[in-house]
Amino acid sequence: MSVLEFQELIPLVYSEEFEPKIETFSGSLLRNISESMSSVSCDSAELESCRDEKAALILKFIAIASILIAGIAGVAIPLIGKKRRFLRTDTNLFFAAKAFAAGVILATGFVHMLPDATEALSNPCLPKAPWSKFPFSGFIAMMAALGTLLADFLSTQYYERKHEKQIQAVKVDSVDLPSEEGIVQVAGNDSNTKLFGEEDGNGIHIVGMHAHAAQHRHNHASGQEGCHGQVSEHLDENSHMHSHSHGWDDDDESGIRHVVVSQVLELGIISHSIIIGLSLGVSQSPCTIRPLLGALSFHQFFEGFALGGCISQAKFGNAHSMVMACFFAVTAPIGVGIGTGISKSYNPNSPRALAVEGILDSISAGILIYMALVDLIAADFLSKRMRCNTRLQVVSYIALFLGAGLMAALAAWA
């Protein structure tokens, strides 16, 4: 297209008669955004009917203690019990309990966080444009889930490169140090050597971008043949002939996945814990706090259990594990404390509070839904261990649906 033809098209696309419409639209949008940031109260008589600041303050202190104890207990059981036979993370009991916790987290995202976000962003206090013109809660949750996928991918790539460098460094050191008999020793993935995040057992927690690798395991076994170890001896003798070009095996990759999952899951749970803690802390209604107290304690325990299991499987050092566990346990109580401190000046029913709360709830919902479906449920339920154990399949599915159902049922009260 020539410059002359382009100039002739300009009047057809843009003319002065559109200027007032553009100015009106931009002015209306700015005005609506400004109204959305208003701190003017939208309280109603119904909301004020159960207001009792003294009783609410007592319930908040009870909530802080209850949520703190529940979080500590939940995250501590897998960490302390990993050396106990009954509570070890490689037992079927722990596998089923983790499925129950995954159901709780999934229901928290779908039934608690996402509907709350939708209700906040569609509140009549907010301007109809743009909040009622587009399903922002679902869109934000979707983008948060995709963002978590990107973070998951980048984190995995980072740890894989880090692990590969460690292996290459060990190999170089081994080549430079010949044995006393003059034989050069090349380092391999010996079963007794754990370089980074490896774990014992055959459970593989690989999903998404690692699904292809999971389907091309070293034994190349399919169906029940891969469940009974019929080719394990042959593999032990020839494992060096089947090693991947990257220099690590499935156990190494599984360890990397546990490291990434534990850290991304903690970020998602912490962001959501801060939000629900603030929501409880700013409330001055005992009618709102009482059901929240029980519901938050319940789901904090099982979120902690799922997180503690991931931390345990990642095989961090004791200090690292303790820091992650403590950070999770204190986040929600700190949120309650902050909410209590600002409750005098903070108006949770203002348009600004509703918009911020709705956006943050949507982000939390997207993160929790992604983590529950991809890194907890799919990783465990599509693993070799699940495929090879029919009894474990039945128990785990029952636990999954039970956890999701019980957490969803709490929405009737909280």
Side-chain angles (χ1 to χ4, degrees):
M1 179 182 293
S2 65
V3 176
L4 182 60
E5 292 175 338
F6 178 77
Q7 291 176 346
E8 292 176 352
L9 285 176
I10 290 179
L12 298 177
V13 178
Y14 177 81
S15 61
E16 294 182 358
E17 66 181 18
F18 287 104
E19 288 184 0
K21 295 181 180 180
I22 295 174
E23 292 176 357
T24 301
F25 175 78
S26 60
S28 176
L29 181 61
L30 292 174
R31 183 171 60 255
N32 290 336
I33 293 175
S34 177
E35 291 175 359
S36 300
M37 294 297 103
S38 172
S39 59
V40 178
S41 177
C42 291
D43 290 344
S44 63
E46 182 180 356
L47 293 174
E48 295 292 330
S49 62
C50 196
R51 186 183 180 92
D52 188 339
E53 295 184 9
K54 185 176 180 180
L57 184 61
I58 296 174
L59 288 174
K60 289 174 188 178
F61 283 117
I62 296 174
I64 291 175
S66 175
I67 294 172
L68 180 63
I69 293 171
I72 292 174
V75 75
I77 288 175
L79 296 178
I80 297 175
K82 63 183 177 181
K83 296 182 180 179
R84 304 290 189 274
R85 183 177 181 182
F86 185 69
L87 295 174
R88 285 176 57 184
T89 56
D90 58 354
T91 62
N92 290 342
L93 176 63
F94 175 80
F95 206 87
K98 191 179 175 185
F100 183 92
V104 171
I105 296 176
L106 183 64
T108 300
F110 270 121
V111 182
H112 291 266
M113 305 304 294
L114 194 56
D116 287 349
T118 302
E119 182 180 359
L121 295 181
S122 60
N123 193 286
C125 291
L126 291 175
K128 290 185 177 181
W131 301 107
S132 298
K133 303 296 184 181
F134 186 79
F136 281 99
S137 58
F139 174 76
I140 295 172
M142 177 187 69
M143 297 306 297
L146 294 177
T148 307
L149 171 64
L150 179 61
D152 207 351
F153 175 81
L154 295 177
S155 300
T156 303
Q157 292 292 310
Y158 167 77
Y159 282 111
E160 283 179 347
R161 294 191 189 99
K162 181 178 179 180
H163 186 45
E164 185 176 8
K165 289 179 181 178
Q166 290 176 336
I167 291 178
Q168 294 298 329
V170 172
K171 286 184 177 182
V172 171
D173 292 341
S174 299
V175 170
D176 292 339
L177 296 174
S179 64
E180 295 179 356
E181 300 177 358
I183 300 175
V184 177
Q185 296 178 348
V186 180
N189 287 335
D190 186 74
S191 59
N192 296 323
T193 303
K194 292 181 174 63
L195 295 175
F196 181 82
E198 294 186 13
E199 65 168 343
D200 298 327
N202 296 322
I204 302 300
H205 297 264
I206 302 172
V207 293
M209 58 186 169
H210 299 284
H212 180 74
Q215 293 298 323
H216 291 79
R217 306 200 35 155
H218 297 296
N219 54 11
H220 299 284
S222 60
Q224 294 299 320
E225 292 182 0
C227 298
H228 301 298
Q230 296 177 357
V231 294
S232 58
E233 295 182 0
H234 176 73
L235 288 171
D236 292 338
E237 296 175 358
N238 301 279
S239 59
H240 63 282
M241 298 297 294
H242 295 80
S243 58
H244 291 299
S245 61
H246 293 291
W248 62 77
D249 56 17
D250 285 342
D251 286 338
D252 298 325
E253 198 166 0
S254 177
I256 292 173
R257 286 299 302 154
H258 289 312
V259 170
V260 174
V261 167
S262 61
Q263 294 180 343
V264 177
L265 179 61
E266 173 149 17
L267 288 175
I269 291 177
I270 284 175
S271 64
H272 142 254
S273 296
I274 292 174
I275 296 168
I276 60 176
L278 285 171
S279 299
L280 189 150
V282 298
S283 176
Q284 300 289 6
S285 171
C287 299
T288 301
I289 297 175
R290 285 193 191 97
L292 277 177
L293 196 157
L296 296 186
S297 299
F298 176 82
H299 104 268
Q300 192 78 355
F301 174 84
F302 285 103
E303 281 187 347
F305 187 88
L307 178 62
C310 292
I311 294 173
S312 179
Q313 290 173 321
K315 297 192 179 297
F316 291 115
N318 291 334
H320 194 161
S321 300
M322 187 66 66
V323 170
M324 292 183 70
C326 292
F327 199 53
F328 158 77
V330 302
T331 302
I334 288 176
V336 176
I338 294 174
T340 302
I342 65 174
S343 59
K344 295 290 185 181
S345 58
Y346 178 79
N347 180 13
N349 300 302
S350 65
R352 178 193 300 171
L354 291 170
V356 172
E357 179 183 346
I359 292 172
L360 294 179
D361 280 346
S362 299
I363 294 173
S364 297
I367 295 174
L368 292 179
I369 290 170
Y370 172 87
M371 294 303 302
L373 288 175
V374 177
D375 283 330
L376 293 178
I377 297 175
D380 287 347
F381 281 72
L382 298 180
S383 67
K384 176 183 175 182
R385 180 173 185 172
M386 178 70 80
R387 297 196 308 269
C388 299
N389 193 331
T390 304
R391 181 180 299 176
L392 181 60
Q393 292 176 21
V394 174
V395 173
S396 297
Y397 272 105
I398 292 174
L400 175 65
F401 282 94
L402 185 62
L406 289 177
M407 193 64 202
L410 289 177
W413 296 277

